[in-house]
């Protein structure tokens, strides 16, 4: 606790807008932190937090908050009043529901929820300010149509949500790959067209052109019925086709 108190005290004395308490095995936040309402950046990742105190809602200037690698089972409700947030990371927790009030974050640009237990997203997720949305490694079964409203979205990571049925070639590079991500519009268009709107039709037409009695009918028999026609059988089938 001495190291934690020292960091908080230093932040108070210097009036710093950044506090890093990551990787300190915190199970709760020290009450003295309540005095740091001017914070803009708060790092709390890699701890043992399962909830946030209500007084976090007083951090109305907070713009960046990292809560990844903790033990949250529910999305921290005090954050609903932290409407200045631009970036939130809650990867590697056990969150199963994203609350509707996420849509009341007028400045949110980056939301990262990788490796949680989400099975769906609220309609309110369609924030026009959202630029990066990471929801890979969850249990998503559906996507809301409102994602189409995220007109500034430039990166959408939905990998390892097998129930969505979106192939990897459509999803594009993963988060940790050092290549440009797939276009979100391409991913969402594919989902709406082939999954939400109906089954993709995988059919093709084959036209065989050539002189008579060179084996076209035998080839069709092999492709369609996996059997080989003799020459006499081929002639018979050919005549029947011409007489129809």
């Amino acid at each position: 606790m001495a190291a934690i108190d020292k960091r908080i005290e230093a932040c108070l004395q210097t009036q710093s807008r950044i506090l890093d308490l990551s990787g300190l095995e915190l199970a709760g936040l020290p009450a003295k932190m309540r005095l740091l309402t001017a914070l803009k950046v708060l790092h709390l990742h890699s701890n043992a937090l399962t909830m946030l105190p209500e007084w976090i809602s007083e951090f109305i200037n907070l713009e960046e908050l990292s809560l990844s690698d903790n033990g949250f089972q529910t999305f921290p409700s005090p954050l609903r009043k932290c409407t200045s947030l631009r970036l939130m990371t809650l990867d590697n927790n056990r969150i199963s529901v994203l609350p509707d009030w996420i849509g009341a974050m007028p400045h949110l640009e980056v939301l990262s929820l990788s490796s949680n237990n989400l099975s769906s997203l609220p309609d309110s997720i369609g924030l026009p300010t959202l630029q990066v949305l990471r929801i890979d490694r969850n249990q998503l079964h559906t996507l809301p149509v409102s994602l189409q409203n995220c007109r500034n979205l430039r990166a959408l990571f939905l990998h390892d949500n097998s129930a969505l049925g979106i192939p990897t070639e459509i999803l594009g590079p993963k988060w940790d790959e050092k290549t440009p991500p797939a276009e979100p519009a391409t991913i969402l268009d594919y989902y709406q067209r082939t999954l939400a709107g109906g089954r993709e039709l995988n059919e093709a037409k084959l036209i065989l052109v050539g002189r008579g009695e060179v084996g076209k009918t035998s080839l069709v028999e092999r492709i369609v019925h996996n059997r080989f026609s003799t020459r006499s059988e081929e002639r018979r089938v050919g005549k029947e086709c011409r007489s129809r």
Side-chain angles (χ1 to χ4, degrees):
M1 290 297 293
I4 298 170
D5 292 338
K6 186 176 181 180
R7 293 189 190 187
I8 296 173
E9 188 62 34
C11 193
L12 284 168
Q13 290 182 1
T14 61
Q15 297 184 341
S16 175
R17 298 294 187 266
I18 302 174
L19 177 61
D20 186 354
L21 295 179
S22 61
L24 297 175
E25 300 181 356
L26 286 172
L29 298 185
K32 196 172 185 178
M33 275 186 62
R34 190 168 186 171
L35 301 174
L36 301 174
T37 54
L39 282 179
K40 288 191 174 182
V41 178
L42 179 57
H43 298 298
L44 295 171
H45 55 274
S46 304
N47 280 296
L49 298 171
T50 58
M51 59 181 296
L52 294 180
E54 286 297 326
W55 48 257
I56 281 289
S57 63
E58 299 170 13
F59 285 36
I60 57 175
N61 298 303
L62 198 61
E63 296 182 0
E64 297 184 16
L65 176 63
S66 60
L67 294 168
S68 299
D69 298 289
N70 276 284
F72 292 99
Q73 296 187 34
T74 59
F75 204 93
S77 59
L79 296 180
R80 67 187 305 163
K81 294 185 179 180
C82 300
T83 54
S84 294
L85 280 167
R86 296 181 181 275
L87 180 150
M88 279 196 292
T89 61
L90 292 103
D91 307 313
N92 298 308
N93 282 284
R94 290 175 287 173
I95 298 170
S96 58
V97 176
L98 187 61
D100 286 332
W101 54 258
I102 198 70
M105 294 284 179
H107 305 292
L108 192 61
E109 297 176 356
V110 178
L111 179 60
S112 190
L113 294 160
S114 175
S115 300
N116 277 281
N117 298 322
L118 295 169
S119 60
S120 63
L121 301 174
D123 289 335
S124 58
I125 193 64
L127 291 164
T129 56
L130 205 57
Q131 297 182 23
V132 178
L133 180 58
R134 185 182 177 194
I135 325 178
D136 51 307
R137 300 176 186 173
N138 274 274
Q139 301 171 18
L140 293 177
H141 291 273
T142 59
L143 295 176
V145 177
S146 62
L147 280 176
Q148 301 279 0
N149 299 331
C150 301
R151 56 179 177 270
N152 290 307
L153 196 63
R154 53 184 175 81
L156 175 61
F157 297 96
L158 294 169
H159 305 77
D160 300 308
N161 286 283
S162 58
L164 291 177
I166 305 177
T168 54
E169 58 267 25
I170 297 295
L171 292 173
K174 294 185 177 182
W175 171 265
D176 53 358
E177 296 181 35
K178 305 301 181 182
T179 52
E183 287 289 336
T186 300
I187 298 172
L188 295 175
D189 286 348
Y190 177 92
Y191 176 78
Q192 293 297 331
R193 184 180 69 254
T194 64
L195 300 176
R199 181 179 61 85
E200 185 177 17
L201 191 61
N202 295 312
E203 290 185 356
K205 289 185 177 180
L206 176 65
I207 300 176
L208 299 179
V209 179
R211 295 191 300 273
E213 299 185 359
V214 295
K216 296 191 299 297
T217 303
S218 296
L219 181 58
V220 170
E221 286 289 303
R222 171 66 75 179
I223 294 174
V224 176
H225 302 294
N226 194 27
R227 66 190 184 196
F228 183 77
S229 299
T230 63
R231 180 57 62 87
S232 58
E233 177 67 13
E234 181 179 339
R235 291 196 186 98
R236 184 187 66 79
V237 173
K239 290 179 181 178
E240 289 179 357
C241 291
R242 288 192 294 272
S243 65
R244 290 176 182 174

